[in-house]
Amino acid sequence: QVQLVESGGGLVQAGGSLRLSCAASGRTIEIYSMGWFRQGPGKEREFVALISRSGGSTDYADSVKGRFTISRDNARNMMYLQMNTLKPEDTAVYYCAADPSGVRYRNPAEFDYWGQGTQVTVAS
């Protein structure tokens, strides 16, 4: 199995930027489709962004499209989420996840492996 650890969260003012990182160990991430999800207080975990095994294809939730960019570096076993023009509604715990199916699912139930999460707080 693969182990995932997120980092890079913190407190930022509205309009600011953060870059989240997801470090993998145990298995190479090149065999997984990778995704970012988030969960705000009292909310269900929701899809944020997906990236294919090679990094050639990406998908984004409408709420973050044009502001967030997902990327991966398979040689370093790393995956990233660049978040720009942050809004208070982006406040959540952000999770990275891995899916061995190779299909770009948006449903978090399709992902087998998860990190512990990193808190992002956007102040108004």
Side-chain angles (χ1 to χ4, degrees), residues 49-64:
L50 290 171
I51 189 165
S52 63
R53 290 167 174 162
S54 67
S57 297
T58 58
D59 189 27
Y60 298 92
D62 288 343
S63 60
V64 307

PDB file of all heavy atoms in Angstrom, residues 49-64:
ATOM      1  N   ALA A  49      -9.979  18.385  -6.945  1.00  0.00           N
ATOM      2  CA  ALA A  49      -9.211  18.266  -8.182  1.00  0.00           C
ATOM      3  C   ALA A  49      -8.691  16.853  -8.351  1.00  0.00           C
ATOM      4  O   ALA A  49      -8.461  16.139  -7.374  1.00  0.00           O
ATOM      5  CB  ALA A  49      -8.038  19.250  -8.194  1.00  0.00           C
ATOM      6  N   LEU A  50      -8.503  16.442  -9.600  1.00  0.00           N
ATOM      7  CA  LEU A  50      -7.962  15.135  -9.950  1.00  0.00           C
ATOM      8  C   LEU A  50      -6.844  15.293 -10.964  1.00  0.00           C
ATOM      9  O   LEU A  50      -6.834  16.241 -11.749  1.00  0.00           O
ATOM     10  CB  LEU A  50      -9.038  14.236 -10.563  1.00  0.00           C
ATOM     11  CG  LEU A  50     -10.147  13.716  -9.671  1.00  0.00           C
ATOM     12  CD1 LEU A  50     -11.212  13.047 -10.531  1.00  0.00           C
ATOM     13  CD2 LEU A  50      -9.594  12.745  -8.651  1.00  0.00           C
ATOM     14  N   ILE A  51      -5.931  14.326 -10.971  1.00  0.00           N
ATOM     15  CA  ILE A  51      -4.874  14.286 -11.967  1.00  0.00           C
ATOM     16  C   ILE A  51      -4.605  12.836 -12.340  1.00  0.00           C
ATOM     17  O   ILE A  51      -4.590  11.951 -11.486  1.00  0.00           O
ATOM     18  CB  ILE A  51      -3.601  15.010 -11.470  1.00  0.00           C
ATOM     19  CG1 ILE A  51      -2.584  15.161 -12.598  1.00  0.00           C
ATOM     20  CG2 ILE A  51      -3.015  14.316 -10.253  1.00  0.00           C
ATOM     21  CD1 ILE A  51      -1.490  16.169 -12.278  1.00  0.00           C
ATOM     22  N   SER A  52      -4.401  12.588 -13.629  1.00  0.00           N
ATOM     23  CA  SER A  52      -4.175  11.240 -14.119  1.00  0.00           C
ATOM     24  C   SER A  52      -2.781  10.742 -13.750  1.00  0.00           C
ATOM     25  O   SER A  52      -1.939  11.491 -13.255  1.00  0.00           O
ATOM     26  CB  SER A  52      -4.374  11.192 -15.633  1.00  0.00           C
ATOM     27  OG  SER A  52      -3.431  12.022 -16.291  1.00  0.00           O
ATOM     28  N   ARG A  53      -2.535   9.457 -14.018  1.00  0.00           N
ATOM     29  CA  ARG A  53      -1.269   8.828 -13.642  1.00  0.00           C
ATOM     30  C   ARG A  53      -0.045   9.556 -14.178  1.00  0.00           C
ATOM     31  O   ARG A  53       0.941   9.751 -13.461  1.00  0.00           O
ATOM     32  CB  ARG A  53      -1.241   7.383 -14.129  1.00  0.00           C
ATOM     33  CG  ARG A  53      -2.182   6.449 -13.402  1.00  0.00           C
ATOM     34  CD  ARG A  53      -2.300   5.164 -14.176  1.00  0.00           C
ATOM     35  NE  ARG A  53      -3.077   4.156 -13.472  1.00  0.00           N
ATOM     36  CZ  ARG A  53      -3.611   3.099 -14.054  1.00  0.00           C
ATOM     37  NH1 ARG A  53      -3.456   2.898 -15.361  1.00  0.00           N
ATOM     38  NH2 ARG A  53      -4.304   2.228 -13.332  1.00  0.00           N
ATOM     39  N   SER A  54      -0.117   9.957 -15.427  1.00  0.00           N
ATOM     40  CA  SER A  54       1.011  10.624 -16.063  1.00  0.00           C
ATOM     41  C   SER A  54       1.015  12.129 -15.824  1.00  0.00           C
ATOM     42  O   SER A  54       2.010  12.801 -16.123  1.00  0.00           O
ATOM     43  CB  SER A  54       0.995  10.360 -17.563  1.00  0.00           C
ATOM     44  OG  SER A  54      -0.117  10.990 -18.169  1.00  0.00           O
ATOM     45  N   GLY A  55      -0.086  12.659 -15.316  1.00  0.00           N
ATOM     46  CA  GLY A  55      -0.236  14.091 -15.161  1.00  0.00           C
ATOM     47  C   GLY A  55      -0.780  14.783 -16.389  1.00  0.00           C
ATOM     48  O   GLY A  55      -0.914  16.012 -16.398  1.00  0.00           O
ATOM     49  N   GLY A  56      -1.112  14.019 -17.421  1.00  0.00           N
ATOM     50  CA  GLY A  56      -1.553  14.600 -18.668  1.00  0.00           C
ATOM     51  C   GLY A  56      -2.984  15.105 -18.673  1.00  0.00           C
ATOM     52  O   GLY A  56      -3.338  15.909 -19.541  1.00  0.00           O
ATOM     53  N   SER A  57      -3.797  14.626 -17.741  1.00  0.00           N
ATOM     54  CA  SER A  57      -5.200  15.034 -17.671  1.00  0.00           C
ATOM     55  C   SER A  57      -5.530  15.491 -16.264  1.00  0.00           C
ATOM     56  O   SER A  57      -5.088  14.884 -15.288  1.00  0.00           O
ATOM     57  CB  SER A  57      -6.120  13.885 -18.065  1.00  0.00           C
ATOM     58  OG  SER A  57      -5.910  13.494 -19.409  1.00  0.00           O
ATOM     59  N   THR A  58      -6.320  16.555 -16.171  1.00  0.00           N
ATOM     60  CA  THR A  58      -6.759  17.073 -14.876  1.00  0.00           C
ATOM     61  C   THR A  58      -8.249  17.371 -14.913  1.00  0.00           C
ATOM     62  O   THR A  58      -8.844  17.527 -15.978  1.00  0.00           O
ATOM     63  CB  THR A  58      -5.996  18.344 -14.480  1.00  0.00           C
ATOM     64  OG1 THR A  58      -6.184  19.346 -15.492  1.00  0.00           O
ATOM     65  CG2 THR A  58      -4.512  18.057 -14.324  1.00  0.00           C
ATOM     66  N   ASP A  59      -8.841  17.464 -13.732  1.00  0.00           N
ATOM     67  CA  ASP A  59     -10.254  17.786 -13.588  1.00  0.00           C
ATOM     68  C   ASP A  59     -10.405  18.596 -12.308  1.00  0.00           C
ATOM     69  O   ASP A  59      -9.715  18.330 -11.321  1.00  0.00           O
ATOM     70  CB  ASP A  59     -11.088  16.507 -13.534  1.00  0.00           C
ATOM     71  CG  ASP A  59     -12.580  16.765 -13.591  1.00  0.00           C
ATOM     72  OD1 ASP A  59     -12.987  17.796 -14.163  1.00  0.00           O
ATOM     73  OD2 ASP A  59     -13.347  15.933 -13.073  1.00  0.00           O
ATOM     74  N   TYR A  60     -11.314  19.583 -12.321  1.00  0.00           N
ATOM     75  CA  TYR A  60     -11.501  20.463 -11.186  1.00  0.00           C
ATOM     76  C   TYR A  60     -12.970  20.664 -10.878  1.00  0.00           C
ATOM     77  O   TYR A  60     -13.812  20.685 -11.784  1.00  0.00           O
ATOM     78  CB  TYR A  60     -10.898  21.843 -11.457  1.00  0.00           C
ATOM     79  CG  TYR A  60      -9.415  21.840 -11.682  1.00  0.00           C
ATOM     80  CD1 TYR A  60      -8.883  21.720 -12.962  1.00  0.00           C
ATOM     81  CD2 TYR A  60      -8.535  21.963 -10.611  1.00  0.00           C
ATOM     82  CE1 TYR A  60      -7.520  21.716 -13.171  1.00  0.00           C
ATOM     83  CE2 TYR A  60      -7.166  21.964 -10.814  1.00  0.00           C
ATOM     84  CZ  TYR A  60      -6.664  21.839 -12.093  1.00  0.00           C
ATOM     85  OH  TYR A  60      -5.307  21.842 -12.293  1.00  0.00           O
ATOM     86  N   ALA A  61     -13.267  20.827  -9.600  1.00  0.00           N
ATOM     87  CA  ALA A  61     -14.595  21.269  -9.214  1.00  0.00           C
ATOM     88  C   ALA A  61     -14.831  22.673  -9.748  1.00  0.00           C
ATOM     89  O   ALA A  61     -13.906  23.491  -9.832  1.00  0.00           O
ATOM     90  CB  ALA A  61     -14.734  21.258  -7.693  1.00  0.00           C
ATOM     91  N   ASP A  62     -16.069  22.972 -10.117  1.00  0.00           N
ATOM     92  CA  ASP A  62     -16.385  24.288 -10.648  1.00  0.00           C
ATOM     93  C   ASP A  62     -16.018  25.408  -9.671  1.00  0.00           C
ATOM     94  O   ASP A  62     -15.636  26.500 -10.088  1.00  0.00           O
ATOM     95  CB  ASP A  62     -17.868  24.382 -10.989  1.00  0.00           C
ATOM     96  CG  ASP A  62     -18.248  23.579 -12.216  1.00  0.00           C
ATOM     97  OD1 ASP A  62     -17.347  23.200 -12.993  1.00  0.00           O
ATOM     98  OD2 ASP A  62     -19.450  23.341 -12.404  1.00  0.00           O
ATOM     99  N   SER A  63     -16.116  25.131  -8.386  1.00  0.00           N
ATOM    100  CA  SER A  63     -15.865  26.138  -7.375  1.00  0.00           C
ATOM    101  C   SER A  63     -14.404  26.579  -7.311  1.00  0.00           C
ATOM    102  O   SER A  63     -14.110  27.656  -6.784  1.00  0.00           O
ATOM    103  CB  SER A  63     -16.299  25.632  -5.995  1.00  0.00           C
ATOM    104  OG  SER A  63     -15.593  24.456  -5.645  1.00  0.00           O
ATOM    105  N   VAL A  64     -13.486  25.765  -7.843  1.00  0.00           N
ATOM    106  CA  VAL A  64     -12.061  26.100  -7.782  1.00  0.00           C
ATOM    107  C   VAL A  64     -11.435  26.270  -9.153  1.00  0.00           C
ATOM    108  O   VAL A  64     -10.273  26.691  -9.243  1.00  0.00           O
ATOM    109  CB  VAL A  64     -11.264  25.050  -6.980  1.00  0.00           C
ATOM    110  CG1 VAL A  64     -11.883  24.838  -5.602  1.00  0.00           C
ATOM    111  CG2 VAL A  64     -11.163  23.728  -7.733  1.00  0.00           C
TER     112      VAL A  64
END
